[in-house]
Amino acid sequence: AFHKFIYTLNFVASVFCMVEVAEPGFESITYALITTAANSVSPLSSVVSYQLLAFFPLLHTQQSIAQDTWEVRMEFATLQVIVILINVSSLLCLPMLPRQKKETRDLVARKERSTFWGKFTVVTALLFLTYSTIVTFVTVAASDVYGCFKMLGGSGCSANESDTPAHMLVAGGVLFFF
């Protein structure tokens, strides 16, 4: 219940920011773009979470977790540290934001445009939305065929399935974000 309260506070703050950033006549498209980007994060985070599990084979089954061995605890602790580091690294984006309402209004008043960053933002949002939709659809609709692939977050379809594609996918995502 507490996370829903925090989500609501975040939503209210973002709506107030949208009002300041949107130009007259473009309020609805600005709101739609920001809302789409914000809503695409949830399925994307679920997909990435399952793909991170490819690094931690002991966390794939309930039986290994129920054994509660030292190795399982270490894998879980390592996974938690990675998740915390990813969450804390998002703070590195804070210097990109205007500090106060006045700075935001000054940016809007200058009418500076960046075609590259505008295209980059739209393409990235669409790419992540498409990627998370495809992976979610494939793993749900065709779970009997594709749900076991490590690259899609499964435990592996065969004993000799390589971890390399999943590792490269996660490494590519990390490099993209930084």
Side-chain angles (χ1 to χ4, degrees), residues 43-61 79 131 134-136 138-140 142-143 145-157 161-163 165-167 169-170:
L44 180 65
S45 67
S46 296
V47 166
V48 171
S49 296
Y50 283 120
Q51 290 171 337
L52 273 176
L53 286 176
F55 293 101
F56 306 99
L58 292 177
L59 300 179
H60 279 242
T61 63
L79 178 62
Y131 173 74
I134 289 171
V135 171
T136 302
V138 165
T139 56
V140 171
S143 63
V145 178
Y146 300 110
C148 60
F149 285 116
K150 290 182 180 180
M151 189 168 172
L152 299 176
S155 58
C157 295
E161 184 177 343
S162 174
D163 291 340
H167 292 166
L169 186 64
V170 171

Side-chain angles (χ1 to χ4, degrees), residues 40-102:
S40 68
V41 171
S42 180
L44 180 65
S45 67
S46 296
V47 166
V48 171
S49 296
Y50 283 120
Q51 290 171 337
L52 273 176
L53 286 176
F55 293 101
F56 306 99
L58 292 177
L59 300 179
H60 279 242
T61 63
Q62 292 294 323
Q63 294 82 13
S64 64
I65 293 172
Q67 291 175 356
D68 197 25
T69 63
W70 187 81
E71 290 84 12
V72 171
R73 287 179 179 221
M74 285 305 296
E75 281 197 7
F76 187 76
T78 305
L79 178 62
Q80 289 301 310
V81 167
I82 290 171
V83 169
I84 290 169
L85 288 174
I86 290 171
N87 288 335
V88 169
S89 71
S90 68
L91 296 175
L92 297 173
C93 295
L94 284 178
M96 295 169 52
L97 299 174
R99 294 176 187 254
Q100 296 292 328
K101 187 175 184 178
K102 181 184 180 308

